[in-house]
Short mmCIF file of all heavy atoms in Angstrom, two decimals:
data_model
loop_
_atom_site.label_atom_id
_atom_site.label_comp_id
_atom_site.label_asym_id
_atom_site.label_seq_id
_atom_site.Cartn_x
_atom_site.Cartn_y
_atom_site.Cartn_z
N MET W 1 0.84 -1.19 0.00
CA MET W 1 0.00 0.00 0.00
C MET W 1 0.88 1.24 0.00
O MET W 1 1.87 1.32 0.71
CB MET W 1 -0.88 0.02 1.25
CG MET W 1 -1.91 -1.08 1.27
SD MET W 1 -3.51 -0.53 0.74
CE MET W 1 -4.00 0.51 2.10
N PHE W 2 0.47 2.19 -0.83
CA PHE W 2 1.21 3.45 -0.88
C PHE W 2 0.22 4.60 -0.86
O PHE W 2 -0.93 4.45 -1.27
CB PHE W 2 2.04 3.54 -2.16
CG PHE W 2 3.09 2.47 -2.25
CD1 PHE W 2 2.85 1.31 -2.95
CD2 PHE W 2 4.31 2.63 -1.61
CE1 PHE W 2 3.81 0.32 -3.03
CE2 PHE W 2 5.28 1.65 -1.69
CZ PHE W 2 5.03 0.49 -2.39
N GLU W 3 0.69 5.72 -0.41
CA GLU W 3 -0.13 6.92 -0.44
C GLU W 3 0.51 7.93 -1.38
O GLU W 3 1.72 8.15 -1.33
CB GLU W 3 -0.29 7.51 0.96
CG GLU W 3 -1.19 6.67 1.84
CD GLU W 3 -1.44 7.30 3.18
OE1 GLU W 3 -0.65 8.16 3.60
OE2 GLU W 3 -2.45 6.94 3.80
N VAL W 4 -0.32 8.51 -2.24
CA VAL W 4 0.16 9.49 -3.19
C VAL W 4 -0.59 10.79 -2.97
O VAL W 4 -1.83 10.79 -2.94
CB VAL W 4 -0.07 9.01 -4.64
CG1 VAL W 4 0.40 10.07 -5.63
CG2 VAL W 4 0.65 7.70 -4.89
N ARG W 5 0.15 11.86 -2.80
CA ARG W 5 -0.50 13.15 -2.59
C ARG W 5 -0.63 13.88 -3.92
O ARG W 5 0.34 14.04 -4.65
CB ARG W 5 0.30 14.01 -1.60
CG ARG W 5 -0.41 15.30 -1.26
CD ARG W 5 0.47 16.18 -0.41
NE ARG W 5 0.78 15.58 0.89
CZ ARG W 5 0.01 15.76 1.97
NH1 ARG W 5 -1.07 16.49 1.90
NH2 ARG W 5 0.34 15.19 3.10
N GLU W 6 -1.85 14.29 -4.21
CA GLU W 6 -2.11 15.05 -5.43
C GLU W 6 -1.52 16.45 -5.27
O GLU W 6 -1.78 17.13 -4.28
CB GLU W 6 -3.62 15.13 -5.65
CG GLU W 6 -4.07 15.68 -6.98
CD GLU W 6 -3.81 14.72 -8.14
OE1 GLU W 6 -4.51 13.71 -8.25
OE2 GLU W 6 -2.90 15.01 -8.91
N MET W 7 -0.71 16.86 -6.23
CA MET W 7 -0.02 18.15 -6.11
C MET W 7 -0.98 19.33 -6.07
O MET W 7 -0.78 20.29 -5.35
CB MET W 7 0.96 18.34 -7.28
CG MET W 7 2.21 17.51 -7.15
SD MET W 7 3.13 17.93 -5.68
CE MET W 7 4.65 17.05 -5.97
N GLN W 8 -2.04 19.25 -6.89
CA GLN W 8 -2.90 20.41 -7.06
C GLN W 8 -3.72 20.76 -5.81
O GLN W 8 -3.76 21.90 -5.38
CB GLN W 8 -3.85 20.19 -8.24
CG GLN W 8 -3.11 20.31 -9.56
CD GLN W 8 -3.75 19.50 -10.68
OE1 GLN W 8 -4.75 18.82 -10.46
NE2 GLN W 8 -3.18 19.58 -11.85
N ASP W 9 -4.39 19.75 -5.25
CA ASP W 9 -5.29 20.06 -4.12
C ASP W 9 -4.89 19.37 -2.83
O ASP W 9 -5.56 19.53 -1.81
CB ASP W 9 -6.75 19.72 -4.48
CG ASP W 9 -6.89 18.27 -4.91
OD1 ASP W 9 -5.92 17.49 -4.74
OD2 ASP W 9 -7.96 17.91 -5.41
N GLY W 10 -3.81 18.59 -2.86
CA GLY W 10 -3.34 17.97 -1.63
C GLY W 10 -4.10 16.73 -1.22
O GLY W 10 -3.86 16.19 -0.14
N THR W 11 -5.03 16.28 -2.07
CA THR W 11 -5.77 15.06 -1.77
C THR W 11 -4.82 13.87 -1.74
O THR W 11 -3.93 13.75 -2.58
CB THR W 11 -6.85 14.80 -2.84
OG1 THR W 11 -7.65 15.96 -2.97
CG2 THR W 11 -7.71 13.61 -2.46
N ILE W 12 -5.01 12.99 -0.77
CA ILE W 12 -4.16 11.80 -0.67
C ILE W 12 -4.94 10.59 -1.17
O ILE W 12 -6.06 10.32 -0.73
CB ILE W 12 -3.69 11.57 0.78
CG1 ILE W 12 -2.76 12.71 1.19
CG2 ILE W 12 -2.98 10.22 0.91
CD1 ILE W 12 -2.34 12.67 2.63
N TYR W 13 -4.36 9.89 -2.14
CA TYR W 13 -4.95 8.68 -2.67
C TYR W 13 -4.16 7.48 -2.18
O TYR W 13 -2.93 7.50 -2.20
CB TYR W 13 -4.94 8.69 -4.20
CG TYR W 13 -5.82 9.76 -4.80
CD1 TYR W 13 -5.30 11.00 -5.12
CD2 TYR W 13 -7.17 9.52 -5.01
CE1 TYR W 13 -6.11 11.99 -5.66
CE2 TYR W 13 -7.98 10.49 -5.56
CZ TYR W 13 -7.45 11.73 -5.87
OH TYR W 13 -8.25 12.70 -6.40
N THR W 14 -4.87 6.46 -1.76
CA THR W 14 -4.21 5.24 -1.32
C THR W 14 -4.22 4.23 -2.46
O THR W 14 -5.26 3.95 -3.05
CB THR W 14 -4.94 4.64 -0.10
OG1 THR W 14 -4.98 5.62 0.92
CG2 THR W 14 -4.20 3.41 0.41
N VAL W 15 -3.05 3.72 -2.78
CA VAL W 15 -2.90 2.74 -3.86
C VAL W 15 -2.56 1.39 -3.26
O VAL W 15 -1.65 1.28 -2.44
CB VAL W 15 -1.78 3.18 -4.84
CG1 VAL W 15 -1.57 2.11 -5.91
CG2 VAL W 15 -2.12 4.52 -5.46
N ASN W 16 -3.31 0.37 -3.67
CA ASN W 16 -3.05 -0.99 -3.22
C ASN W 16 -2.72 -1.84 -4.42
O ASN W 16 -3.61 -2.20 -5.20
CB ASN W 16 -4.29 -1.53 -2.48
CG ASN W 16 -4.01 -2.88 -1.84
OD1 ASN W 16 -3.25 -3.69 -2.36
ND2 ASN W 16 -4.63 -3.12 -0.70
N HIS W 17 -1.47 -2.15 -4.60
CA HIS W 17 -1.03 -2.92 -5.77
C HIS W 17 -1.67 -4.28 -5.80
O HIS W 17 -2.17 -4.73 -6.83
CB HIS W 17 0.48 -3.11 -5.75
CG HIS W 17 1.24 -1.83 -5.92
ND1 HIS W 17 2.58 -1.76 -5.80
CD2 HIS W 17 0.81 -0.58 -6.22
CE1 HIS W 17 2.98 -0.50 -6.01
NE2 HIS W 17 1.91 0.22 -6.26
N ALA W 18 -1.63 -4.97 -4.68
CA ALA W 18 -2.07 -6.36 -4.63
C ALA W 18 -3.54 -6.48 -5.05
O ALA W 18 -3.92 -7.42 -5.74
CB ALA W 18 -1.87 -6.91 -3.23
N GLN W 19 -4.35 -5.52 -4.63
CA GLN W 19 -5.78 -5.58 -4.95
C GLN W 19 -6.11 -4.72 -6.16
O GLN W 19 -7.28 -4.59 -6.53
CB GLN W 19 -6.59 -5.12 -3.74
CG GLN W 19 -6.29 -5.97 -2.53
CD GLN W 19 -7.36 -5.87 -1.47
OE1 GLN W 19 -8.14 -4.92 -1.44
NE2 GLN W 19 -7.40 -6.84 -0.58
N ARG W 20 -5.11 -4.14 -6.77
CA ARG W 20 -5.30 -3.29 -7.94
C ARG W 20 -6.36 -2.23 -7.67
O ARG W 20 -7.34 -2.09 -8.41
CB ARG W 20 -5.68 -4.14 -9.16
CG ARG W 20 -4.60 -5.16 -9.43
CD ARG W 20 -4.78 -5.83 -10.76
NE ARG W 20 -3.70 -6.81 -10.96
CZ ARG W 20 -3.34 -7.30 -12.13
NH1 ARG W 20 -3.96 -6.92 -13.21
NH2 ARG W 20 -2.38 -8.16 -12.22
N HIS W 21 -6.13 -1.55 -6.60
CA HIS W 21 -7.10 -0.55 -6.17
C HIS W 21 -6.43 0.81 -5.97
O HIS W 21 -5.33 0.89 -5.45
CB HIS W 21 -7.73 -0.99 -4.84
CG HIS W 21 -8.66 0.04 -4.27
ND1 HIS W 21 -10.00 0.03 -4.51
CD2 HIS W 21 -8.43 1.11 -3.47
CE1 HIS W 21 -10.55 1.06 -3.89
NE2 HIS W 21 -9.63 1.74 -3.26
N CYS W 22 -7.12 1.85 -6.43
CA CYS W 22 -6.70 3.21 -6.10
C CYS W 22 -7.93 3.98 -5.70
O CYS W 22 -9.01 3.77 -6.26
CB CYS W 22 -6.00 3.87 -7.28
SG CYS W 22 -5.54 5.58 -6.93
N ASP W 23 -7.79 4.88 -4.77
CA ASP W 23 -8.93 5.65 -4.28
C ASP W 23 -9.62 6.46 -5.36
O ASP W 23 -10.79 6.78 -5.26
CB ASP W 23 -8.48 6.58 -3.14
CG ASP W 23 -8.31 5.82 -1.84
OD1 ASP W 23 -8.70 4.64 -1.78
OD2 ASP W 23 -7.79 6.42 -0.88
N CYS W 24 -8.89 6.81 -6.41
CA CYS W 24 -9.50 7.63 -7.45
C CYS W 24 -10.46 6.82 -8.31
O CYS W 24 -11.33 7.37 -8.97
CB CYS W 24 -8.42 8.26 -8.33
SG CYS W 24 -7.65 7.12 -9.50
N GLY W 25 -10.30 5.49 -8.33
CA GLY W 25 -11.25 4.62 -9.02
C GLY W 25 -10.87 4.22 -10.42
O GLY W 25 -11.41 3.26 -10.96
N HIS W 26 -9.93 4.91 -11.03
CA HIS W 26 -9.58 4.61 -12.42
C HIS W 26 -8.93 3.24 -12.58
O HIS W 26 -9.14 2.57 -13.58
CB HIS W 26 -8.62 5.69 -12.96
CG HIS W 26 -9.30 6.99 -13.20
ND1 HIS W 26 -10.22 7.17 -14.20
CD2 HIS W 26 -9.23 8.16 -12.54
CE1 HIS W 26 -10.66 8.41 -14.16
NE2 HIS W 26 -10.08 9.04 -13.16
N PHE W 27 -8.16 2.86 -11.59
CA PHE W 27 -7.43 1.59 -11.67
C PHE W 27 -8.42 0.43 -11.78
O PHE W 27 -8.22 -0.49 -12.56
CB PHE W 27 -6.57 1.45 -10.42
CG PHE W 27 -5.40 0.50 -10.59
CD1 PHE W 27 -5.02 0.04 -11.84
CD2 PHE W 27 -4.67 0.11 -9.48
CE1 PHE W 27 -3.93 -0.81 -11.98
CE2 PHE W 27 -3.58 -0.74 -9.61
CZ PHE W 27 -3.22 -1.20 -10.86
N GLN W 28 -9.49 0.49 -11.01
CA GLN W 28 -10.46 -0.59 -11.00
C GLN W 28 -11.34 -0.57 -12.24
O GLN W 28 -11.63 -1.59 -12.84
CB GLN W 28 -11.38 -0.49 -9.77
CG GLN W 28 -10.66 -0.52 -8.46
CD GLN W 28 -10.25 0.87 -8.00
OE1 GLN W 28 -9.26 1.42 -8.47
NE2 GLN W 28 -10.99 1.46 -7.09
N VAL W 29 -11.78 0.61 -12.66
CA VAL W 29 -12.75 0.73 -13.73
C VAL W 29 -12.11 0.51 -15.09
O VAL W 29 -12.61 -0.26 -15.91
CB VAL W 29 -13.43 2.11 -13.68
CG1 VAL W 29 -14.33 2.31 -14.90
CG2 VAL W 29 -14.24 2.25 -12.39
N GLU W 30 -11.00 1.16 -15.35
CA GLU W 30 -10.39 1.11 -16.68
C GLU W 30 -9.31 0.04 -16.79
O GLU W 30 -8.82 -0.26 -17.87
CB GLU W 30 -9.78 2.48 -17.02
CG GLU W 30 -10.86 3.55 -17.10
CD GLU W 30 -10.27 4.95 -17.07
OE1 GLU W 30 -9.12 5.11 -17.50
OE2 GLU W 30 -10.95 5.85 -16.59
N ARG W 31 -8.93 -0.53 -15.64
CA ARG W 31 -7.89 -1.56 -15.59
C ARG W 31 -6.58 -1.05 -16.16
O ARG W 31 -5.79 -1.80 -16.70
CB ARG W 31 -8.34 -2.81 -16.33
CG ARG W 31 -9.52 -3.47 -15.64
CD ARG W 31 -9.92 -4.74 -16.35
NE ARG W 31 -11.06 -5.37 -15.68
CZ ARG W 31 -11.72 -6.40 -16.17
NH1 ARG W 31 -11.35 -6.91 -17.32
NH2 ARG W 31 -12.73 -6.91 -15.52
N LEU W 32 -6.40 0.24 -16.09
CA LEU W 32 -5.12 0.84 -16.47
C LEU W 32 -4.58 1.56 -15.24
O LEU W 32 -5.35 2.21 -14.53
CB LEU W 32 -5.32 1.84 -17.59
CG LEU W 32 -5.43 1.27 -19.00
CD1 LEU W 32 -5.84 2.36 -19.98
CD2 LEU W 32 -4.12 0.66 -19.43
N PRO W 33 -3.30 1.45 -15.03
CA PRO W 33 -2.73 2.17 -13.90
C PRO W 33 -2.96 3.67 -14.04
O PRO W 33 -2.63 4.25 -15.07
CB PRO W 33 -1.24 1.84 -13.97
CG PRO W 33 -1.16 0.60 -14.78
CD PRO W 33 -2.30 0.66 -15.76
N CYS W 34 -3.56 4.28 -13.05
CA CYS W 34 -3.74 5.73 -13.07
C CYS W 34 -2.42 6.40 -12.70
O CYS W 34 -1.45 5.73 -12.36
CB CYS W 34 -4.84 6.13 -12.10
SG CYS W 34 -4.47 5.68 -10.41
N ARG W 35 -2.42 7.71 -12.72
CA ARG W 35 -1.13 8.39 -12.47
C ARG W 35 -0.65 8.18 -11.04
O ARG W 35 0.55 8.26 -10.78
CB ARG W 35 -1.26 9.88 -12.77
CG ARG W 35 -2.35 10.57 -12.00
CD ARG W 35 -2.67 11.89 -12.68
NE ARG W 35 -3.99 12.35 -12.29
CZ ARG W 35 -4.25 13.58 -11.92
NH1 ARG W 35 -3.31 14.47 -11.91
NH2 ARG W 35 -5.48 13.92 -11.59
N HIS W 36 -1.57 7.91 -10.12
CA HIS W 36 -1.13 7.65 -8.74
C HIS W 36 -0.35 6.34 -8.68
O HIS W 36 0.66 6.22 -8.00
CB HIS W 36 -2.34 7.57 -7.81
CG HIS W 36 -3.31 8.68 -8.01
ND1 HIS W 36 -4.58 8.50 -8.51
CD2 HIS W 36 -3.16 10.02 -7.83
CE1 HIS W 36 -5.17 9.67 -8.62
NE2 HIS W 36 -4.34 10.61 -8.22
N VAL W 37 -0.88 5.35 -9.39
CA VAL W 37 -0.22 4.04 -9.43
C VAL W 37 1.14 4.17 -10.10
O VAL W 37 2.15 3.64 -9.63
CB VAL W 37 -1.09 3.02 -10.18
CG1 VAL W 37 -0.36 1.69 -10.33
CG2 VAL W 37 -2.41 2.82 -9.44
N LEU W 38 1.17 4.90 -11.21
CA LEU W 38 2.42 5.08 -11.94
C LEU W 38 3.45 5.81 -11.07
O LEU W 38 4.64 5.49 -11.11
CB LEU W 38 2.18 5.85 -13.23
CG LEU W 38 1.31 5.11 -14.25
CD1 LEU W 38 1.07 6.00 -15.47
CD2 LEU W 38 1.94 3.80 -14.67
N THR W 39 2.96 6.76 -10.30
CA THR W 39 3.86 7.49 -9.39
C THR W 39 4.46 6.54 -8.37
O THR W 39 5.67 6.58 -8.10
CB THR W 39 3.09 8.60 -8.66
OG1 THR W 39 2.53 9.47 -9.63
CG2 THR W 39 4.00 9.38 -7.73
N CYS W 40 3.63 5.67 -7.85
CA CYS W 40 4.11 4.68 -6.88
C CYS W 40 5.16 3.78 -7.50
O CYS W 40 6.20 3.52 -6.91
CB CYS W 40 2.96 3.81 -6.38
SG CYS W 40 1.86 4.67 -5.29
N PHE W 41 4.86 3.29 -8.68
CA PHE W 41 5.78 2.38 -9.34
C PHE W 41 7.09 3.07 -9.64
O PHE W 41 8.16 2.49 -9.52
CB PHE W 41 5.16 1.83 -10.62
CG PHE W 41 4.07 0.82 -10.37
CD1 PHE W 41 3.34 0.31 -11.41
CD2 PHE W 41 3.80 0.37 -9.09
CE1 PHE W 41 2.34 -0.64 -11.20
CE2 PHE W 41 2.81 -0.57 -8.86
CZ PHE W 41 2.08 -1.06 -9.92
N ALA W 42 7.00 4.31 -10.06
CA ALA W 42 8.22 5.06 -10.37
C ALA W 42 9.07 5.21 -9.10
O ALA W 42 10.28 5.04 -9.14
CB ALA W 42 7.86 6.43 -10.93
N ASN W 43 8.38 5.49 -8.00
CA ASN W 43 9.11 5.65 -6.74
C ASN W 43 9.74 4.35 -6.27
O ASN W 43 10.80 4.35 -5.66
CB ASN W 43 8.16 6.18 -5.65
CG ASN W 43 7.78 7.62 -5.89
OD1 ASN W 43 8.46 8.33 -6.63
ND2 ASN W 43 6.70 8.06 -5.28
N GLN W 44 9.04 3.25 -6.53
CA GLN W 44 9.49 1.95 -6.02
C GLN W 44 10.32 1.20 -7.04
O GLN W 44 10.75 0.09 -6.79
CB GLN W 44 8.27 1.10 -5.63
CG GLN W 44 7.40 1.73 -4.57
CD GLN W 44 8.10 1.83 -3.24
OE1 GLN W 44 8.77 0.89 -2.83
NE2 GLN W 44 7.98 2.96 -2.56
N HIS W 45 10.47 1.78 -8.24
CA HIS W 45 11.21 1.13 -9.32
C HIS W 45 10.58 -0.20 -9.69
O HIS W 45 11.27 -1.19 -9.91
CB HIS W 45 12.69 0.95 -8.95
CG HIS W 45 13.36 2.25 -8.61
ND1 HIS W 45 13.62 3.22 -9.56
CD2 HIS W 45 13.76 2.75 -7.44
CE1 HIS W 45 14.19 4.25 -8.97
NE2 HIS W 45 14.28 4.01 -7.69
N LEU W 46 9.27 -0.22 -9.70
CA LEU W 46 8.54 -1.43 -10.08
C LEU W 46 8.16 -1.35 -11.55
O LEU W 46 8.09 -0.27 -12.13
CB LEU W 46 7.26 -1.57 -9.24
CG LEU W 46 7.47 -1.79 -7.75
CD1 LEU W 46 6.15 -1.69 -7.02
CD2 LEU W 46 8.12 -3.15 -7.50
N ASP W 47 7.90 -2.50 -12.13
CA ASP W 47 7.49 -2.55 -13.52
C ASP W 47 5.97 -2.46 -13.59
O ASP W 47 5.26 -3.41 -13.27
CB ASP W 47 7.97 -3.86 -14.15
CG ASP W 47 7.58 -3.96 -15.61
OD1 ASP W 47 7.07 -2.97 -16.16
OD2 ASP W 47 7.80 -5.02 -16.19
N TRP W 48 5.47 -1.31 -14.01
CA TRP W 48 4.02 -1.10 -14.00
C TRP W 48 3.33 -1.91 -15.10
O TRP W 48 2.12 -2.13 -15.04
CB TRP W 48 3.68 0.38 -14.15
CG TRP W 48 4.21 1.01 -15.40
CD1 TRP W 48 5.40 1.67 -15.52
CD2 TRP W 48 3.62 1.03 -16.69
NE1 TRP W 48 5.56 2.09 -16.81
CE2 TRP W 48 4.49 1.72 -17.55
CE3 TRP W 48 2.40 0.55 -17.20
CZ2 TRP W 48 4.19 1.93 -18.90
CZ3 TRP W 48 2.10 0.75 -18.54
CH2 TRP W 48 2.99 1.43 -19.37
N GLN W 49 4.08 -2.36 -16.09
CA GLN W 49 3.42 -3.04 -17.21
C GLN W 49 2.77 -4.35 -16.80
O GLN W 49 1.83 -4.80 -17.47
CB GLN W 49 4.44 -3.29 -18.32
CG GLN W 49 4.88 -1.97 -18.93
CD GLN W 49 5.69 -2.18 -20.22
OE1 GLN W 49 5.56 -3.19 -20.88
NE2 GLN W 49 6.50 -1.22 -20.53
N VAL W 50 3.24 -4.96 -15.74
CA VAL W 50 2.62 -6.20 -15.30
C VAL W 50 1.20 -5.95 -14.78
O VAL W 50 0.41 -6.87 -14.66
CB VAL W 50 3.44 -6.93 -14.22
CG1 VAL W 50 4.83 -7.26 -14.74
CG2 VAL W 50 3.51 -6.13 -12.95
N TYR W 51 0.90 -4.70 -14.48
CA TYR W 51 -0.41 -4.37 -13.97
C TYR W 51 -1.37 -3.90 -15.05
O TYR W 51 -2.53 -3.62 -14.80
CB TYR W 51 -0.31 -3.28 -12.88
CG TYR W 51 0.30 -3.82 -11.63
CD1 TYR W 51 1.67 -3.76 -11.43
CD2 TYR W 51 -0.49 -4.40 -10.64
CE1 TYR W 51 2.26 -4.27 -10.29
CE2 TYR W 51 0.08 -4.91 -9.50
CZ TYR W 51 1.45 -4.85 -9.32
OH TYR W 51 2.02 -5.36 -8.19
N VAL W 52 -0.88 -3.81 -16.27
CA VAL W 52 -1.74 -3.41 -17.37
C VAL W 52 -2.50 -4.63 -17.86
O VAL W 52 -1.92 -5.69 -18.10
CB VAL W 52 -0.91 -2.82 -18.53
CG1 VAL W 52 -1.81 -2.49 -19.71
CG2 VAL W 52 -0.17 -1.58 -18.06
N HIS W 53 -3.78 -4.48 -17.98
CA HIS W 53 -4.63 -5.60 -18.40
C HIS W 53 -4.22 -6.07 -19.80
O HIS W 53 -3.82 -5.26 -20.63
CB HIS W 53 -6.09 -5.14 -18.40
CG HIS W 53 -7.06 -6.27 -18.49
ND1 HIS W 53 -7.64 -6.66 -19.67
CD2 HIS W 53 -7.53 -7.11 -17.54
CE1 HIS W 53 -8.44 -7.69 -19.43
NE2 HIS W 53 -8.40 -7.98 -18.15
N ASP W 54 -4.35 -7.37 -20.04
CA ASP W 54 -3.91 -7.97 -21.31
C ASP W 54 -4.48 -7.25 -22.52
O ASP W 54 -3.84 -7.14 -23.56
CB ASP W 54 -4.32 -9.44 -21.36
CG ASP W 54 -3.39 -10.29 -20.52
OD1 ASP W 54 -2.32 -9.80 -20.16
OD2 ASP W 54 -3.76 -11.44 -20.23
N VAL W 55 -5.71 -6.79 -22.40
CA VAL W 55 -6.38 -6.13 -23.51
C VAL W 55 -5.56 -4.96 -24.05
O VAL W 55 -5.61 -4.66 -25.22
CB VAL W 55 -7.78 -5.64 -23.05
CG1 VAL W 55 -8.37 -4.67 -24.07
CG2 VAL W 55 -8.69 -6.83 -22.84
N TYR W 56 -4.81 -4.34 -23.17
CA TYR W 56 -4.12 -3.12 -23.56
C TYR W 56 -2.69 -3.37 -24.02
O TYR W 56 -1.97 -2.45 -24.38
CB TYR W 56 -4.11 -2.14 -22.39
CG TYR W 56 -5.50 -1.71 -22.01
CD1 TYR W 56 -6.13 -2.22 -20.88
CD2 TYR W 56 -6.20 -0.82 -22.82
CE1 TYR W 56 -7.40 -1.84 -20.54
CE2 TYR W 56 -7.48 -0.43 -22.49
CZ TYR W 56 -8.08 -0.94 -21.36
OH TYR W 56 -9.35 -0.57 -21.03
N LYS W 57 -2.28 -4.62 -23.98
CA LYS W 57 -0.92 -4.91 -24.42
C LYS W 57 -0.84 -4.92 -25.94
O LYS W 57 -1.77 -5.34 -26.62
CB LYS W 57 -0.45 -6.25 -23.85
CG LYS W 57 -0.17 -6.13 -22.36
CD LYS W 57 0.29 -7.44 -21.78
CE LYS W 57 0.53 -7.29 -20.28
NZ LYS W 57 0.54 -8.56 -19.59
N MET W 58 0.28 -4.50 -26.46
CA MET W 58 0.42 -4.35 -27.91
C MET W 58 0.19 -5.65 -28.67
O MET W 58 -0.42 -5.67 -29.73
CB MET W 58 1.81 -3.81 -28.25
CG MET W 58 1.92 -2.31 -28.12
SD MET W 58 0.57 -1.40 -28.93
CE MET W 58 0.97 -1.69 -30.65
N SER W 59 0.64 -6.76 -28.12
CA SER W 59 0.48 -8.03 -28.82
C SER W 59 -1.00 -8.35 -28.99
O SER W 59 -1.42 -8.90 -30.02
CB SER W 59 1.17 -9.15 -28.04
OG SER W 59 0.62 -9.25 -26.75
N GLU W 60 -1.79 -7.99 -28.00
CA GLU W 60 -3.23 -8.23 -28.08
C GLU W 60 -3.87 -7.29 -29.09
O GLU W 60 -4.77 -7.66 -29.84
CB GLU W 60 -3.88 -8.05 -26.70
CG GLU W 60 -3.41 -9.06 -25.68
CD GLU W 60 -3.75 -10.50 -26.08
OE1 GLU W 60 -4.86 -10.72 -26.58
OE2 GLU W 60 -2.90 -11.38 -25.90
N ILE W 61 -3.41 -6.07 -29.10
CA ILE W 61 -3.94 -5.09 -30.03
C ILE W 61 -3.63 -5.51 -31.47
O ILE W 61 -4.48 -5.40 -32.35
CB ILE W 61 -3.35 -3.69 -29.73
CG1 ILE W 61 -3.88 -3.20 -28.38
CG2 ILE W 61 -3.68 -2.69 -30.85
CD1 ILE W 61 -3.18 -1.99 -27.82
N CYS W 62 -2.45 -6.04 -31.69
CA CYS W 62 -2.07 -6.50 -33.02
C CYS W 62 -2.97 -7.62 -33.51
O CYS W 62 -3.34 -7.67 -34.68
CB CYS W 62 -0.61 -6.98 -33.03
SG CYS W 62 0.56 -5.63 -32.89
N LYS W 63 -3.36 -8.49 -32.60
CA LYS W 63 -4.24 -9.60 -32.98
C LYS W 63 -5.55 -9.09 -33.57
O LYS W 63 -6.10 -9.67 -34.50
CB LYS W 63 -4.56 -10.47 -31.75
CG LYS W 63 -3.48 -11.47 -31.40
CD LYS W 63 -3.92 -12.30 -30.23
CE LYS W 63 -2.72 -12.92 -29.50
NZ LYS W 63 -3.09 -13.43 -28.18
N VAL W 64 -6.03 -8.02 -33.00
CA VAL W 64 -7.31 -7.47 -33.44
C VAL W 64 -7.25 -7.04 -34.90
O VAL W 64 -8.20 -7.20 -35.65
CB VAL W 64 -7.70 -6.26 -32.57
CG1 VAL W 64 -8.93 -5.55 -33.12
CG2 VAL W 64 -7.93 -6.72 -31.13
N TYR W 65 -6.10 -6.55 -35.32
CA TYR W 65 -5.98 -6.00 -36.68
C TYR W 65 -5.53 -7.04 -37.70
O TYR W 65 -5.34 -6.75 -38.85
CB TYR W 65 -5.00 -4.83 -36.66
CG TYR W 65 -5.58 -3.63 -35.96
CD1 TYR W 65 -5.16 -3.29 -34.68
CD2 TYR W 65 -6.59 -2.87 -36.56
CE1 TYR W 65 -5.70 -2.21 -34.01
CE2 TYR W 65 -7.13 -1.79 -35.91
CZ TYR W 65 -6.69 -1.46 -34.64
OH TYR W 65 -7.24 -0.41 -33.99
N ARG W 66 -5.34 -8.28 -37.23
CA ARG W 66 -4.90 -9.30 -38.15
C ARG W 66 -6.04 -9.80 -39.04
O ARG W 66 -7.17 -9.79 -38.62
CB ARG W 66 -4.31 -10.49 -37.37
CG ARG W 66 -2.86 -10.64 -37.71
CD ARG W 66 -2.22 -11.72 -36.85
NE ARG W 66 -1.06 -11.15 -36.16
CZ ARG W 66 -0.59 -11.61 -35.00
NH1 ARG W 66 -1.14 -12.58 -34.38
NH2 ARG W 66 0.47 -11.06 -34.48
ZN1 ZN G 101 -5.47 6.82 -8.80
#
C-alpha cells in the first residue's frame, strides 16, 4: 500500500497494488494504472506493465488487426 498526494489540491490517494485498487477509481474501472499508481511504481522502481490488463498490451492489439 502506498499513499500518493495530489499536487494540485493535496488530496491523498491510497494505492493498493495487490488488490489493484486506487482511491481515485480509475485503476479498477479502466484496468489501467492511473497516475497515482504510476507514481508509486516510479518511486518503487517497479514494472508497471505487469499491472496493465492484457487487452491493452500491444500483442493483443495487433491480434485485433490481423
Ligand atoms: Zn489513482
Side-chain angles (χ1 to χ4, degrees):
M1 293 261 290
F2 297 96
E3 288 185 338
V4 178
R5 186 186 296 271
E6 190 71 73
M7 285 299 190
Q8 286 153 359
D9 56 10
T11 307
I12 294 174
Y13 294 93
T14 304
V15 176
N16 187 326
H17 293 173
Q19 302 199 340
R20 302 191 180 200
H21 176 93
C22 177
D23 282 351
C24 75
H26 288 290
F27 202 12
Q28 302 89 281
V29 173
E30 297 165 28
R31 295 182 180 172
L32 279 171
C34 61
R35 56 198 159 134
H36 313 113
V37 175
L38 295 177
T39 302
C40 288
F41 286 175
N43 289 341
Q44 300 293 318
H45 303 290
L46 295 171
D47 181 7
W48 59 267
Q49 293 191 24
V50 301
Y51 289 91
V52 176
H53 194 262
D54 282 345
V55 167
Y56 297 104
K57 287 180 181 161
M58 278 312 289
S59 60
E60 295 299 319
I61 292 168
C62 288
K63 279 183 202 165
V64 172
Y65 289 104
R66 243 174 235 154

